[in-house]
Structure formats: structure tokens, C-alpha cells
Amino acid sequence: MLATKQGIDLTGFNGPVNLMSKDFINHKQDYYRWLRENAPVHRGRLGPIPLWFVSRYEDCNDILKSPKILRNRSTATGKKGRFPIPLPKSVNMLIKSMINEDDPEHRRLRTLVHKAFVPKRLAYLSDRIENLTHELLDKAEKKNKEEGQIDLQKEYGLPIPVTVIAEMVGVSVDEVPEFAQYMTALTSGLNGFTVAKTMFWDIPKAIKFCQKLIERKRKNPGEDILTGLIEAEEDGERLSEDELIAMLFLLIVAGYETTVHLITNGVQTLLTHPDQLDRLRNDWSLIDSAVEEINRFNGPIHGTKLGYPTEDIELRGVIIPKGKAIMPLLGAANFDPDMFEDPEVFDIGREKNPHLGFGKGIHYCLGAPLARMESRIAFKNLFERFPDLHMAVPMEELEIQRIPGWHRFTNLPVTLA
């Protein structure tokens, strides 16, 4: 089963499901099963915000690909305001990236960004990640000898994508600590009690950091992806200054945060399924399908950005009104028995595995090849070097972070030998 707390009995439960509730965070699969079986189109809540959840694979897949579901609320409804609640100017600037845009604007931005992700710009990263993982494991081994255990997320899962993204956008070695600080603020600070500090302090500072970085790259271009974004041109158009900043933030958040937790979740999943871990160690040709199965079975992304229908739509006999927020629950769809044979079985050799862990349609994750590459290398080097690696605490003691649309741990204490 997916890494959640011990199951709960939802007999008699009639909703609504709230993605921010502690019960939901700790028992996602129980709620996903209830939704698929009893309310596949469900009017639930995201904290105080009402919205519609879709939980079956076919419906999620259709929603993700439908041209009638837009990310820009104002375009879908004809009303002012891109989001249901007002946001500070700095936040609005950052979220106006391609992940929140619709065609044709989305296509224009993605075409420009894609030019920065050509194979020659990514090819060198494989050797760099290979060396980086061994450097990090050397440090982790030393710390493990001194303290008896390490936090694998902090010591290994986190610094791999942090370092890679920093180098991809041309951040110098001296700037990495400041860069990492902003990444943490952006990816964790918009939840809970620190949201005001993040919006009015951290984000403006991060924007200034990005502006200086862009200015430096204009004067001194390099082989990094930020230089590629600055130079990218399509039909005479380039990214504006605001678009460059928004794209930088998207690269940071999407390229860093997903991979951290894909690696962490993957290690936890393999350690709690020793038969599959042994199978992988005995046949590393299964590593590609193992990464896909990890993303299906225990991936970090369980929901999408909100979508808004341009007209009333009907799903499973339920009318979702025009302009009302919809979230496809990818974590529920990835366990739909109508699509996956024995979905609650973790099988690294699964052949039919069209999971939605990287999305689908025009918003399919642009960084998916990089995330896959980082994860493959991270898993192989970790488990080859430390065959006796095991969790340092019982699984039920792991804390699942209270962040809607995600499934991620606060830390992952392990003993390397």
C-alpha cells in the first residue's frame, strides 16, 4: 500500500473530503478508495475553498487533456482575478508562468522554454549527477558512522536536485546556500503560519536575487539553461523580464521539489518492499520501470493546479458549473483498478503503467526526463553502495507533510549499514 498511516474505516462517511484535514493527509488511500467507489465526482474542500475533485483515471485523464478546462480562471469565467482569492503583486508575477497559462500563450512559452532543454544542454548532466551522488554518499557515510543514522532526505535526496538546478541556471557555488534558502521558502513557506512572511518578505527578496542573476547572464552568457532561456527566440519573440523570472521560479519549484520527494518516497517504498528491492538489485535493467512504478505507487504529486471549465460539464451524471474549480486527484487515479491490474501491489516490473505522476496533456511535466535521470542514478548508487541500508524508525513514525496535492515526508531517517 501507499505510505500512509494505518488504514481507517470510512463506512458511513458521506463527505465532504477536505484535502487539508489531518485525517486525509494521513489516510489518503482510504479516502481515494471511498471517492472512486462512492463519489468519483465530489464537491469537496481545499481548506476553506470549495472545489470539485475527480478521482477515477478515465475522468482525470480527460480533464487533463480537455481544452474546455483552463488554468486561467479569468479567461474561463470572464471575471477579474486569475485565482479565487486575491494575492500580492509579487506572487501574481511568479504564478504567471506557463504552468498556469492556457494555449496559445502556454504554447508560446513552452516552445521558448523547450529550446533551453535541448539534449546537448542536458547530456552533460548524467556524469555530473553520477559524481555528485557519490560525493554526497561519501559525506553521508561519514555522518552515519558518527551519529548512527542520517536523514536521507536532507543528506541525499535534497542536495541532488538543488545542486543540479543551481548549476542549470548558472548559480555560482558561493550563491548555492542563498539559492537553497529561497527554494525552501518558496516550496514550503506558502503553507501554514509562515505564508505572510513568504509572500511579503521571502518572495520579493527571491525576485531581486533572480533579477541580479538574469542581469549577470545577459552580460556574461554561459552554457546554462538560464542563458538558453534569455537567448531563446521564436518568430521574433523572446521571454520578457517578468516571464524570465516566472520561468526561473517554475524551474526551481518543479525541477527541484518533485525530484527531492520522488527520491525520498522511492527509497522509503523500496525499503518497505524488500522483495522488490532484492529484485532490482539482482536486475538493474528494471530501473526504468521501477522509477515509473514508484511514481505511480508512491509518487509525490497527487493533485494538479486548479482548472476551470469554460462551460457546464457533466461527469458521471454530475454537473460541474462553468468557472468552478476542479482538481484531478492523480494519487487516486493511479490506483484505479479499472486501469491498473492489482493497483495496490508494488511491482517494479509492471508493464502497463500509464500513470499520471507527471501529468498529461499540454501541461505534462517538461522536466520529467531530468527527474527520471536523477532518480535512476540516485537509487542505483545508493543501494549498490549500501546493501544493508534500512530505515532507522518504524514507518508509522514518519511524518507526512500537510500540503494539499502532495505526498511527502518531513524527513527519512535511515541507517546506512
Side-chain angles (χ1 to χ4, degrees):
M1 281 296 294
L2 174 75
T4 55
K5 304 297 183 180
Q6 187 174 355
I8 59 172
D9 184 4
L10 291 176
T11 302
F13 177 76
N14 59 5
V17 171
N18 189 339
L19 260 60
M20 285 295 289
S21 75
K22 186 176 180 180
D23 257 2
F24 175 84
I25 294 296
N26 288 326
H27 306 286
K28 294 185 183 76
Q29 277 303 331
D30 295 307
Y31 280 97
Y32 290 157
R33 189 181 304 107
W34 182 89
L35 284 165
R36 285 194 308 268
E37 294 175 359
N38 299 283
V41 181
H42 177 71
R43 192 178 186 189
R45 305 191 69 81
L46 180 61
I49 302 172
L51 69 162
W52 292 89
F53 298 129
V54 179
S55 54
R56 290 185 183 170
Y57 185 97
E58 181 182 3
D59 298 332
C60 288
N61 190 50
D62 289 347
I63 290 291
L64 291 172
K65 296 191 297 182
S66 174
K68 296 179 181 179
I69 309 296
L70 303 183
R71 293 283 175 92
N72 189 325
R73 177 174 173 265
S74 60
T75 303
T77 63
K79 299 177 181 178
K80 291 184 178 180
R82 294 172 60 96
F83 294 90
I85 56 175
L87 297 172
K89 182 179 179 180
S90 60
V91 178
N92 267 308
M93 184 177 80
L94 298 185
I95 57 182
K96 290 178 68 175
S97 65
M98 67 180 184
I99 198 171
N100 289 313
E101 293 291 352
D102 306 298
D103 284 340
E105 183 66 2
H106 172 272
R107 184 167 56 250
R108 179 184 76 85
L109 293 171
R110 192 176 180 101
T111 300
L112 287 167
V113 174
H114 183 72
K115 291 178 179 294
F117 279 85
V118 292
K120 71 176 183 179
R121 290 188 182 272
L122 295 179
Y124 79 95
L125 286 175
S126 180
D127 288 341
R128 177 66 185 107
I129 297 168
E130 185 75 30
N131 293 330
L132 174 62
T133 55
H134 285 295
E135 292 170 10
L136 293 170
L137 289 174
D138 288 342
K139 295 177 182 178
E141 185 175 25
K142 181 180 179 182
K143 186 168 185 177
N144 185 79
K145 288 179 179 178
E146 294 171 350
E147 301 182 11
Q149 66 180 53
I150 64 164
D151 176 359
L152 193 83
Q153 180 166 288
K154 179 181 178 181
E155 307 296 336
Y156 190 60
L158 177 66
I160 293 172
V162 165
T163 305
V164 169
I165 291 295
E167 293 181 2
M168 284 175 67
V169 300
V171 172
S172 68
V173 174
D174 292 340
E175 291 172 317
V176 168
E178 183 180 3
F179 181 74
Q181 177 184 339
Y182 291 137
M183 283 196 287
T184 300
L186 294 172
T187 57
S188 300
L190 289 175
N191 299 279
F193 298 107
T194 61
V195 64
K197 174 181 176 295
T198 300
M199 285 186 175
F200 296 104
W201 176 256
D202 295 320
I203 287 179
K205 288 185 67 176
I207 288 173
K208 289 181 180 178
F209 178 87
C210 289
Q211 288 170 332
K212 290 180 181 178
L213 184 60
I214 291 168
E215 182 180 358
R216 189 170 77 223
K217 285 297 166 185
R218 289 191 193 278
K219 294 178 180 177
N220 300 289
E223 293 299 317
D224 52 86
I225 282 182
L226 177 54
T227 298
L229 290 174
I230 292 170
E231 296 175 348
E233 188 169 348
E234 181 75 9
D235 296 331
E237 285 197 43
R238 292 192 177 188
L239 293 169
S240 68
E241 184 83 2
D242 285 357
E243 288 172 339
L244 277 171
I245 293 172
M247 199 58 63
L248 255 180
F249 275 75
L250 177 60
L251 285 173
I252 289 169
V253 175
Y256 140 76
E257 192 171 34
T258 303
T259 307
V260 173
H261 300 289
L262 182 57
I263 292 172
T264 303
N265 290 14
V267 171
Q268 186 276 337
T269 306
L270 289 165
L271 289 178
T272 52
H273 294 83
D275 61 322
Q276 295 300 300
L277 178 54
D278 287 343
R279 185 181 176 193
L280 182 60
R281 282 189 173 124
N282 291 326
D283 184 3
W284 284 105
S285 70
L286 292 170
I287 186 62
D288 287 338
S289 60
V291 170
E292 299 308 311
E293 178 68 345
I294 286 166
N295 208 353
R296 179 196 74 84
F297 187 85
N298 199 17
I301 305 297
H302 280 213
T304 69
K305 299 294 182 184
L306 300 184
Y308 303 91
T310 57
E311 59 186 51
D312 292 356
I313 60 172
E314 182 176 349
L315 279 177
R316 309 282 173 182
V318 177
I319 301 295
I320 301 178
K322 172 184 176 179
K324 297 301 181 181
I326 302 174
M327 179 187 286
L329 294 175
L330 310 185
N334 284 337
F335 274 72
D336 190 337
D338 289 339
M339 176 53 65
F340 301 96
E341 184 178 355
D342 297 323
E344 296 185 3
V345 173
F346 177 62
D347 176 9
I348 65 168
R350 187 179 293 273
E351 294 182 1
K352 183 185 177 184
N353 195 359
H355 67 79
L356 300 177
F358 288 120
K360 188 66 72 75
I362 67 170
H363 290 288
Y364 183 81
C365 178
L366 187 66
L370 177 59
R372 288 180 169 117
M373 179 171 66
E374 289 175 299
S375 300
R376 286 196 304 266
I377 296 171
F379 294 143
K380 190 171 189 294
N381 289 339
L382 174 67
F383 287 113
E384 281 192 335
R385 282 190 56 169
F386 300 102
D388 296 323
L389 172 72
H390 58 276
M391 291 179 62
V393 299
M395 201 287 288
E396 56 269 19
E397 291 185 14
L398 295 179
E399 181 182 355
I400 300 171
Q401 293 185 337
R402 200 170 176 177
I403 301 178
W406 287 83
H407 184 73
R408 44 195 266 188
F409 300 106
T410 301
N411 56 19
L412 188 68
V414 302
T415 299
L416 296 180

